[in-house]
Amino acid sequence: MVKNICCIGAGYVGGPTMAVIAEMCPEIKVTVVDVNANRIDAWNSADLDKLPIYEPGLAEVVRAARGRNLFFSTDIENAIDEAEIIFMSVNTPTKNYGKGKGMGADLKYIELSARQIAKVAKTDKIVVEKSTLPVRTAAAIKSILDNTGNGVKFQILSNPEFLAEGTAINDLKNADRVLIGGDQTDEGLAAIEKLTAIYVHWIPRHKIIQTNVWSSELSKLTANAFLAQRISSINSISAICEKSGADVDEVARAIGADSRIGAKFLKTSVGFGGSCFQKDILNLVYICKTLGLPEVADYWEQVILMNDYQKHRFADNIITTLYNTVSGKKIAFLGWAFKKDTNDTRETAAMYVADILMNDLAEITAYDPKVNQEQMYADMDYLHSRTEDENRKLLKADTSPYSACKSAHAIAVLTEWDEFISYDWQRIYDNMMKPAFVFDGRNILDHKKLREIGFKVRAIGK
Ligand code: UDX
Ligand code: UDX
């Protein structure tokens, strides 16, 4: 029975995943390590509101397990030394330099972690890929471990994470399935069983799918590509709806009732964001290209192109509707996070829409219940579209939705936070410039009610 595990990377994936394993397996010591000391301090803070990530239900899990069998530390070497199973959950951003720039995954942190494990390990280890990785990364990790280590034996498993942010704790506790890929040798199968034994503490065995390593790695990319494809598909239909009088929400309901299609992931939007969809599809596209499959690469790339188009369409619609210019006009953003119930803003549609409007010299005031001004500036600076000063001149965060919308020419809803629905919309209307426009990028507001108040409402796909 495994008694000691560790995880390198205390981020959105590593933190919640290890917290749930620790809660469910009180007899296993779980240590989460990270190079970022501030992040580890935040995970250890006495005030559970100060955890580095916001995720419903996470604080309760941390409260139950932290200090008992869940530990957060910067002592990476000691944690590796003690652990029988090491999870790698470091970030794997899209490469922004050299070969594969803008497409392939940057595996430098994975490589660094592998070298660190090789250096420290004195006993046999099972190394688990949690980060989403291109197919056959396990081979690279294995080669580093086998050739730079101290002669100890390593088994590499792929155990991709399927949690979605905002629902991570529920997704982890009630997973549809757990996927574990490993070498189909006696040693590989034994390693798969060891990891399986951890999950069976709370996941029924029939939901644990065991495969070879490559199937597991490819399944993660494929799952995200299929999910994103559904969003791009419905968003493409939303453009037809706007020109034809059909209503995209009605179309989604009608097709989703077909059990072969299913109702989930058919919600039209201003475009999908998040750390995974774009990165993983780009990864898939890059893999197709390197495998000499350009038609397959083009097929999947279209999912991203449609997503870019949707963000542009939304921003262009704002500009056109506001009499072809937003220069000097105040546009209020409700929401900045890439989806509700998270403080994560990676690849959020909001920053791309802001970018397009700021190119037209709009003055944006953004309100998000969980995202602060520093993060918004970091996101805009990351795009490198204009100087940092210009970003700070054109974009401001507000801590109240009512003052964010005050004297605005238009409101754009970028995130589907529940609280937006119950605002005092009459009060918001009274304090806005007229005509008062609402561009609902998530189709969450009561459009009929808003129109009765006097708003001019533009929804997606209607
Ligand atoms: C990451 C990947 O982006 C994703 O592809 C994968 O599926 C899961 O892991 P996430 O947890 O959301 O997702 O990333 P992030 O929140 O950036 O956390 C990664 C952590 O690893 C950071 O806290 C970083 O400091 C840490 N890290 C990175 C290390 O501890 N060591 C390193 O060498 C590099
Ligand atoms: C996704 C996958 O769902 C998860 O399994 C994987 O492990 C990581 O990537 P995440 O990015 O956290 O999770 O969130 P998700 O709920 O999938 O949403 C991604 C984006 O798609 C968000 O911007 C969301 O608003 C958007 N979306 C989702 C839609 O526009 N319409 C939908 O119907 C669903």
Side-chain angles (χ1 to χ4, degrees), residues 161-163 165 220 265 267 269 272-273 338-339 442:
E161 190 44 72
F162 295 105
L163 65 81
E165 288 171 33
K220 169 72 190 197
F265 266 69
K267 182 94 185 100
S269 61
F272 60 74
F338 83 98
K339 63 188 277 195
R442 295 288 183 164

Side-chain angles (χ1 to χ4, degrees), residues 107 129 132-143 155-160 162 179-185 192 209-223 284 287 291:
L107 297 180
E129 304 173 347
T132 308
L133 299 166
V135 183
R136 301 200 78 89
T137 304
I141 299 176
K142 192 164 177 42
S143 134
Q155 279 299 322
I156 322 289
L157 300 180
S158 160
N159 172 219
F162 295 105
L179 180 56
I180 304 176
D183 278 353
Q184 301 298 298
T185 57
I192 293 177
I209 302 173
Q210 303 179 337
T211 66
N212 75 36
V213 181
W214 323 125
S215 302
S216 172
E217 288 182 344
L218 183 58
S219 298
K220 169 72 190 197
L221 295 184
T222 308
L284 191 63
I287 290 168
L291 295 177

Side-chain angles (χ1 to χ4, degrees), residues 193-436:
E193 273 308 316
K194 276 198 171 168
L195 185 54
T196 301
I198 293 181
Y199 285 107
V200 290
H201 280 74
W202 77 99
I203 304 283
R205 191 170 263 274
H206 70 269
K207 290 190 172 177
I208 301 179
I209 302 173
Q210 303 179 337
T211 66
N212 75 36
V213 181
W214 323 125
S215 302
S216 172
E217 288 182 344
L218 183 58
S219 298
K220 169 72 190 197
L221 295 184
T222 308
N224 277 346
F226 270 57
L227 289 169
Q229 184 189 43
R230 284 174 69 95
I231 304 170
S232 276
S233 296
I234 198 71
N235 282 343
S236 77
I237 300 300
S238 76
I240 309 179
C241 291
E242 285 169 30
K243 295 229 182 267
S244 69
D247 177 326
V248 73
D249 289 331
E250 291 181 351
V251 174
R253 207 170 103 225
I255 64 165
D258 185 326
S259 60
R260 293 168 303 174
I261 298 175
K264 292 181 180 163
F265 266 69
L266 284 180
K267 182 94 185 100
T268 194
S269 61
V270 58
F272 60 74
S275 69
C276 284
F277 283 173
Q278 167 147 325
K279 170 168 70 78
D280 290 356
I281 296 172
L282 285 173
N283 225 319
L284 191 63
V285 169
Y286 184 62
I287 290 168
C288 294
K289 288 189 173 162
T290 53
L291 295 177
L293 302 169
E295 290 82 0
V296 186
D298 290 348
Y299 178 76
W300 286 107
E301 190 168 21
Q302 199 57 41
V303 174
I304 299 206
L305 297 179
M306 182 53 61
N307 198 47
D308 291 340
Y309 169 69
Q310 188 76 350
K311 292 180 272 193
H312 271 276
R313 220 164 62 74
F314 183 75
D316 290 347
N317 187 18
I318 296 179
I319 299 174
T320 315
T321 308
L322 295 183
Y323 319 106
N324 279 325
T325 177
V326 286
S327 172
K329 292 181 184 167
K330 179 174 173 183
I331 315 282
F333 273 28
L334 291 182
W336 190 272
F338 83 98
K339 63 188 277 195
K340 72 172 179 179
D341 292 338
T342 179
N343 60 347
D344 193 351
T345 63
R346 287 177 287 181
E347 292 301 326
T348 178
M351 69 179 177
Y352 293 102
V353 172
D355 191 41
I356 299 167
L357 297 177
M358 284 156 76
N359 282 342
D360 217 70
L361 302 178
E363 291 173 11
I364 296 173
T365 306
Y367 166 78
D368 187 289
K370 292 287 171 194
V371 182
N372 60 27
Q373 183 161 276
E374 283 61 47
Q375 185 59 51
M376 294 177 192
Y377 287 145
D379 293 336
M380 295 314 298
D381 293 344
Y382 157 89
L383 290 179
H384 292 298
S385 297
R386 59 190 71 71
T387 65
E388 296 190 0
D389 281 350
E390 283 166 334
N391 282 334
R392 280 147 192 77
K393 220 171 84 197
L394 294 173
L395 171 70
K396 299 268 180 306
D398 206 310
T399 49
S400 148
Y402 294 100
S403 57
C405 296
K406 195 162 183 251
S407 307
H409 292 254
I411 295 171
V413 178
L414 276 309
T415 312
E416 73 282 24
W417 286 100
D418 292 335
E419 64 171 61
F420 298 164
I421 298 165
S422 53
Y423 285 171
D424 181 349
W425 283 94
Q426 181 67 53
R427 178 178 158 202
I428 291 176
Y429 178 81
D430 291 342
N431 292 319
M432 278 177 72
M433 303 292 286
K434 306 293 173 337

